[in-house]
């Protein structure tokens, strides 16, 4: 993962894709972020982040089946790649390491 910068919003979108496990499309990712974080997000911003994540190799996508609710249009479904999973694990490890490094006196 070294050399691939992941901003906070990209990290949140990547986590939402992982949570949705197989059912991650733009609107579902928006709903997941809003539910998990209590934070309103823009669908266009999520699509931009998904495109950046795909360019970085952290997610892959494929077209899902047509649905009547979408007027016969297909959804683009995203999933976390092995590289994306490693990136999330490294981010988690780094954050935990930094939390552990905070001296108790820092909260006084």
């Amino acid at each position: 993962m070294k050399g691939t910068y992941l901003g906070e919003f990209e990290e949140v979108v990547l986590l939402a894709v992982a949570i949705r496990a197989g059912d991650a499309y733009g609107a579902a990712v928006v709903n997941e972020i809003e539910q998990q974080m209590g934070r309103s997000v823009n669908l266009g911003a999520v699509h931009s982040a998904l495109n950046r994540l795909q360019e970085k190799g952290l997610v892959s996508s494929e077209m899902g089946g047509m649905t009547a609710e979408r007027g016969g249009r297909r959804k683009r479904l995203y999933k976390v790649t092995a590289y994306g999973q490693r990136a999330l694990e490294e981010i988690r490890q780094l954050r935990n390491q930094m939390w552990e490094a905070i001296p108790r006196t820092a909260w006084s």
Side-chain angles (χ1 to χ4, degrees):
M1 153 107 185
K2 263 189 174 170
T4 302
Y5 176 75
L6 199 58
E8 179 205 5
F9 189 67
E10 289 176 329
E11 179 183 345
V12 167
V13 171
L14 186 57
L15 285 165
V17 171
I19 291 168
R20 297 296 303 191
D23 188 36
Y25 56 96
V29 171
V30 167
N31 291 338
E32 192 64 45
I33 293 169
E34 289 178 347
Q35 179 183 345
Q36 292 288 336
M37 300 186 73
R39 171 175 159 181
S40 180
V41 294
N42 178 288
L43 179 60
V46 167
H47 278 293
S48 292
L50 287 167
N51 288 333
R52 287 192 306 274
L53 291 169
Q54 191 161 11
E55 287 172 5
K56 293 177 181 183
L58 300 170
V59 298
S60 62
S61 70
E62 62 183 34
M63 295 305 288
M66 293 184 277
T67 61
E69 68 196 33
R70 293 178 44 86
R73 293 188 333 250
R74 299 165 62 183
K75 296 177 189 173
R76 178 163 298 277
L77 300 171
Y78 294 87
K79 66 179 181 179
V80 177
T81 63
Y83 183 57
Q85 181 180 350
R86 279 195 310 275
L88 284 174
E89 289 168 356
E90 287 178 18
I91 289 166
R92 183 180 191 179
Q93 181 182 15
L94 176 62
R95 290 190 191 283
N96 287 342
Q97 178 182 320
M98 291 181 76
W99 274 102
E100 296 291 324
I102 297 172
R104 294 198 186 279
T105 58
W107 305 113
S108 304

